[in-house]
Amino acid sequence: MTETTTVGVGGAGEATDMVLNIGPQHPSTHGVLRLRLVLDGERIVSAEPVIGYMHRGAEKLFEVRDYRQIVMLANRHDWLSAFSNELGVVMAVERMLGMEVPVRAVWIRTLFAELNRVLNHLMFLGSYPLELGGITPIFHAFREREDLQALMEEATGGRMHYMFNRIGGIKEDLPAGWTGRARAVVNAVAGRMGVYDDLVLGNDIFRARTRGVGVLATPLVYEYGISGPIARASAVDFDLRRDDPYLAYPQLQDVLKVAVRKEGDCLARFEVLLEQTHNSLALVLACLDRLAELAPGPVNVRLPKVVKAPEGHTYTWGENPLGINGYYLVSTGEKTPYRLKLRTASFNNIQALTRVLPGTLVADMVAILGSMFFVVGDIDK
């Protein structure tokens, strides 16, 4: 670190910039991240995210698990996006096998991927105002999450780690009457989402703390490979569901709306997340409509007792709630992957803090950090 000289307060001597460590937090919190800040008074001179405290080692563990077992590991690195994580892994294996997934399973996967997106976003829509001193939104967020979690739990048996995807489809069909109950819950949640427009975006203090703060310039998005809501808040109009559609998204283009802002500040990132949540609820309802029209049919493909991917390699990617997740699978023809490399959204997104934080005030650091919408397990994969 290059030391810079500042005027010492209350004395005639010289003083160097202060180094301030933010974190690491206690392991019982939702993640362990450390920020090493160099301060000149109250202004941040430089910032370095220090990662690796969670040392999950998922990629190495994949190499000693068979293709069915890695699904269990894959949904844990981003615990708020568990369904989308396991979906990416099985899609990579299915591509290696050249496997066609039953149509009913494709629509159910799409439905659950969007429900998972809403659950992920609600956590940030509630917790971000909390970090800025607004307590009330978190209670609304958890009420909506509880109703949607109950739907996911009824269908999959899991509350956070669903283990519902299987190579070739899903574990089982939806319970009897589930789609009717899901429609009622989703409509109720959608009808209450206006509280975030009124309670949060309509709050002058929230807007003052976020407008023009932590601006992420568009060139930095490309430079760091940032994706998801954060990138779209900085005028990067890219969403894999529209631009490289997979699952049932090609049939949902009339419902899918990609939220984009050009300001690139904390407020824009929150607005994109909120608008995306509204649209995901609409996509869920569209999937329920389509499932109602489908005739009963299989939801998975019969597999051999031991699944072996053929020798070769492939790459699949998907629009996870926090951004693009990629899966590079290398197989030598055995029952375990030779290599399964994860490209996680949070890992790329958090690196931009080294460029966004310098020049800002310490008081704005929490607002900027919270608006990057990351999960630490997704960084320390």
Side-chain angles (χ1 to χ4, degrees):
M1 182 191 72
T2 303
E3 291 187 347
T4 58
T5 303
T6 59
V7 177
V9 177
E14 293 183 347
T16 56
D17 289 347
M18 177 192 294
V19 176
L20 178 66
N21 283 288
I22 307 295
Q25 298 94 345
H26 190 274
S28 68
T29 63
H30 69 93
V32 184
L33 174 73
R34 173 180 159 215
L35 281 179
R36 186 178 183 276
L37 306 179
V38 178
L39 306 178
D40 178 4
E42 293 186 45
R43 197 164 296 277
I44 298 172
V45 176
S46 67
E48 177 191 2
V50 183
I51 65 174
Y53 287 96
M54 297 194 71
H55 50 76
R56 300 182 72 81
E59 292 177 354
K60 198 65 182 173
L61 292 172
F62 290 156
E63 298 174 14
V64 290
R65 301 316 197 263
D66 66 37
Y67 286 106
R68 287 189 175 96
Q69 292 171 327
I70 61 176
V71 176
M72 178 274 294
L73 287 172
N75 65 18
R76 282 163 165 75
H77 58 87
D78 176 1
W79 43 83
L80 293 179
S81 309
F83 185 87
S84 300
N85 295 338
E86 61 187 55
L87 177 62
V89 168
V90 297
M91 286 174 61
V93 181
E94 289 162 2
R95 176 174 288 188
M96 289 284 283
L97 294 169
M99 183 178 291
E100 193 74 26
V101 178
V103 174
R104 186 169 181 82
V106 170
W107 280 97
I108 293 174
R109 280 178 171 181
T110 310
L111 165 66
F112 277 45
E114 290 305 315
L115 271 177
N116 193 195
R117 194 181 310 276
V118 174
L119 285 167
N120 175 289
H121 291 356
L122 280 171
M123 178 63 78
F124 291 106
L125 291 174
S127 64
Y128 183 52
L130 180 65
E131 291 166 356
L132 298 181
I135 296 175
T136 308
I138 194 72
F139 296 112
H140 291 278
F142 268 87
R143 178 186 63 184
E144 316 306 349
R145 276 179 54 84
E146 195 64 30
D147 290 346
L148 296 173
Q149 286 279 187
L151 282 179
M152 297 285 280
E153 186 176 11
E154 180 186 357
T156 67
R159 266 189 86 72
M160 284 188 67
H161 306 302
Y162 305 107
M163 285 297 295
F164 197 58
N165 283 288
R166 296 290 186 273
I167 297 169
I170 55 176
K171 182 174 74 172
E172 58 193 3
D173 209 340
L174 299 171
W178 186 89
T179 54
R181 292 188 290 276
R183 187 181 299 278
V185 170
V186 171
N187 277 322
V189 171
R192 296 192 295 257
M193 284 299 296
V195 71
Y196 298 98
D197 296 288
D198 301 331
L199 188 65
V200 183
L201 289 180
N203 186 288
D204 291 338
I205 298 175
F206 179 83
R207 299 184 76 86
R209 290 291 308 275
T210 55
R211 185 192 283 119
V213 175
V215 175
L216 175 64
T218 303
L220 288 180
V221 174
Y222 295 108
E223 185 176 338
Y224 282 87
I226 296 167
S227 59
I230 299 173
R232 291 191 284 274
S234 294
V236 178
D237 188 3
F238 184 71
D239 190 313
L240 287 177
R241 296 174 297 169
R242 181 197 62 197
D243 301 318
D244 189 10
Y246 54 101
L247 294 180
Y249 290 114
Q251 288 79 49
L252 292 169
Q253 295 302 305
D254 58 328
V255 183
L256 177 63
K257 301 289 185 278
V258 179
V260 181
R261 296 289 187 278
K262 62 176 188 257
E263 294 82 5
D265 56 11
C266 296
L267 180 60
R269 290 190 278 273
F270 187 88
E271 287 178 340
V272 167
L273 205 70
L274 178 55
E275 189 174 329
Q276 193 167 280
T277 307
H278 284 290
N279 186 241
S280 289
L281 290 168
L283 288 167
V284 170
L285 292 172
C287 289
L288 289 171
D289 291 339
R290 179 60 176 159
L291 282 170
E293 300 169 359
L294 284 178
V299 293
N300 47 45
V301 174
R302 185 177 293 275
L303 297 173
K305 187 174 182 180
V306 178
V307 177
K308 293 184 178 181
E311 186 173 351
H313 60 93
T314 190
Y315 181 79
T316 60
W317 59 352
E319 189 69 39
N320 269 39
L322 297 179
I324 295 174
N325 271 31
Y327 304 84
Y328 179 61
L329 173 62
V330 181
S331 172
T332 56
E334 299 300 323
K335 67 178 182 179
T336 60
Y338 175 78
R339 182 80 166 94
L340 180 53
K341 168 67 178 174
L342 296 178
R343 188 270 186 215
T344 59
S346 297
F347 181 83
N348 286 67
N349 292 356
I350 204 67
Q351 307 306 320
L353 288 171
T354 59
R355 305 284 288 278
V356 175
L357 285 175
T360 64
L361 297 173
V362 176
D364 291 327
M365 183 271 300
V366 173
I368 298 168
L369 181 64
S371 73
M372 300 306 283
F373 307 132
F374 61 90
V375 170
V376 181
D378 208 39
I379 302 170
D380 294 348
K381 58 190 186 298

